[in-house]
Amino acid sequence: MQRRGFLQGLGGGAVTGLGVLLSARTGRAAGGASNHMSSGTAEGGERILGEGRSRYNHVRVVERGSVRTMLFIADDGTQYIETRIDRAHRRSLDLDVFRTMLAGFVVHPEPRRILVLGLGGGALPGYFFERLPGLEMDAVDIDPEVVRLAQAFFDVPKDDPRYRVHVADARLFLQRAPADARWDMIVLDAFRGVQVPLHLKTAEFHREVLARLAPGGVAVANLHNATRMYPHDRETIAAVYPSCYGFLSEAGNQTTLVASASPARLGIYTLRDNARRAQPRFDDVDLLGLCARYYARRDWERAEVLRDDFPAGNLAAAAERNNGSCLRGCTYR
């Protein structure tokens, strides 16, 4: 689930990686951005298509004109854009963060198997699946209501043998997958509330991801680069993967980090060659332009590597605890 919103006081202004943080009372976007949310009844041409509640989320799907949005509604009424698509432009990615996450193809231009940890509305896995013939896709989300609404309103398939949807905790899924299962690209997008659950951020988790990458495979993560957790995330990922590549989002407030299983670091000319190879499949995104947002400088202070706060055999209990709401009482930020 791609819950990328973060509040004022958590390291930046009121913004979200998926576009807009919406006011709980007015439905207006913070910071003057355009609003994509009704206040509970349809207004301004917006209508509610579907809604669901689970132990993990309050989810709502709304539509205004051709723009369809999946929203997560926090306990305090704050509304976060989780997924947004423009149905008049189905072959395009509507959100900056998703376009930047195509950096994974600049490092690994021809993946055959992709695993997405965090389905949400399915915009990114659906985009991959449509544009990569023969792709084997697995998508995982812990919330059955998110999966139900994604299949009902965002064209996520229910029974396609090459696009498999799993309802599970992301780390438990990795541990329980067949021993020989490997993926060329693993997209790390399993947010809970306004944060990624701690058990999906630690060095132990990333070692499990690395073990599931095929030779030369990559893990692709979206990070808010203005939060207090950013230095910890960078240090943790750098401690596990043989090589890493950072790409700034168009707005500059996020970094897509591509972590590779290969120790051989690619130079900028190889990255540009890879972008040219992948470009024909992604005609709506300028991959060479994305290469221009690659940077190798260190943009974080030294910080502690994140470690599991539970014994190795207690993952299921830790996942149950960490997958609860992280709006109040978080032990980390």
Side-chain angles (χ1 to χ4, degrees):
M1 294 168 281
Q2 304 109 286
R3 301 159 179 80
R4 299 185 185 81
F6 64 95
L7 301 172
Q8 289 181 350
L10 298 187
V15 296
T16 73
L18 284 180
V20 202
L21 167 63
L22 300 172
S23 163
R25 291 182 294 276
T26 66
R28 296 182 63 81
S34 60
N35 135 41
H36 291 278
M37 178 64 202
S38 76
S39 59
T41 58
E43 63 175 283
E46 185 176 80
R47 60 194 181 110
I48 298 172
L49 301 181
E51 194 157 359
R53 291 178 184 266
S54 72
R55 61 187 301 182
Y56 305 110
N57 293 296
H58 176 191
V59 192
R60 182 177 292 157
V61 178
V62 299
E63 187 172 73
R64 175 176 294 169
S66 63
V67 176
R68 185 170 292 183
T69 306
M70 178 181 282
L71 297 159
F72 289 112
I73 303 173
D75 294 342
D76 63 359
T78 306
Q79 302 157 3
Y80 297 88
I81 294 178
E82 195 286 330
T83 297
R84 187 178 67 203
I85 62 171
D86 187 339
R87 293 175 65 81
H89 303 280
R90 295 301 305 275
R91 288 181 54 82
S92 297
L93 290 172
D94 194 55
L95 296 169
D96 171 6
V97 59
F98 288 158
R99 293 191 295 270
T100 306
M101 291 178 82
L102 294 183
F105 293 87
V106 173
V107 180
H108 192 314
E110 296 180 348
R112 298 178 181 274
R113 299 192 71 205
I114 296 179
L115 168 64
V116 177
L117 299 178
L119 171 69
L124 198 59
Y127 181 87
F128 294 159
F129 193 68
E130 180 179 353
R131 289 172 174 271
L132 302 174
L135 178 68
E136 293 286 331
M137 170 71 67
D138 289 282
V140 180
D141 203 291
I142 195 171
D143 193 338
E145 282 300 292
V146 169
V147 172
R148 179 182 69 82
L149 291 169
Q151 291 176 331
F153 299 108
F154 292 87
D155 299 322
V156 173
K158 294 182 178 180
D159 54 7
D160 191 307
R162 290 194 299 108
Y163 187 152
R164 299 168 290 271
V165 178
H166 313 267
V167 177
D169 173 82
R171 187 163 170 185
L172 288 171
F173 173 83
L174 287 175
Q175 290 195 357
R176 295 168 179 173
D180 61 348
R182 297 293 184 274
W183 290 270
D184 301 307
M185 182 181 292
I186 299 179
V187 178
L188 309 179
D189 203 28
F191 280 67
R192 173 66 184 101
V194 296
Q195 299 287 339
V196 175
L198 181 59
H199 68 291
L200 304 181
K201 294 169 72 73
T202 63
E204 291 85 353
F205 166 69
H206 284 288
R207 282 197 288 268
E208 293 178 14
V209 173
L210 178 60
R212 291 295 188 170
L213 289 175
V218 295
V220 183
N222 169 55
L223 304 175
H224 287 295
N225 55 35
T227 65
R228 286 180 288 173
M229 288 307 298
Y230 179 69
H232 296 277
D233 290 328
R234 290 299 300 254
E235 293 282 1
T236 301
I237 292 171
V240 173
Y241 298 89
S243 57
C244 297
Y245 306 80
F247 297 81
L248 275 179
S249 66
E250 295 161 20
N253 65 323
Q254 291 163 289
T255 294
T256 286
L257 197 60
V258 182
S260 176
S262 173
R265 187 167 187 84
L266 304 180
I268 185 60
Y269 292 107
T270 302
L271 296 177
R272 288 175 64 86
D273 286 343
N274 287 346
R276 292 188 184 95
R277 287 171 60 189
Q279 187 65 78
R281 298 190 293 276
F282 305 113
D283 57 316
D284 61 319
V285 177
D286 179 5
L287 293 185
L288 283 174
L290 182 53
C291 279
R293 288 186 267 124
Y294 163 68
Y295 67 102
R297 71 183 185 279
R298 185 184 182 94
D299 65 342
W300 71 96
E301 298 177 354
R302 296 204 175 275
E304 291 185 7
V305 171
L306 298 172
R307 305 286 184 185
D308 282 347
D309 61 350
F310 56 89
N314 287 6
L315 172 60
E320 181 72 14
R321 179 182 72 249
N322 292 341
N323 284 319
S325 174
C326 200
L327 281 174
R328 301 184 183 91
C330 275
T331 57
Y332 72 98
R333 287 294 189 191

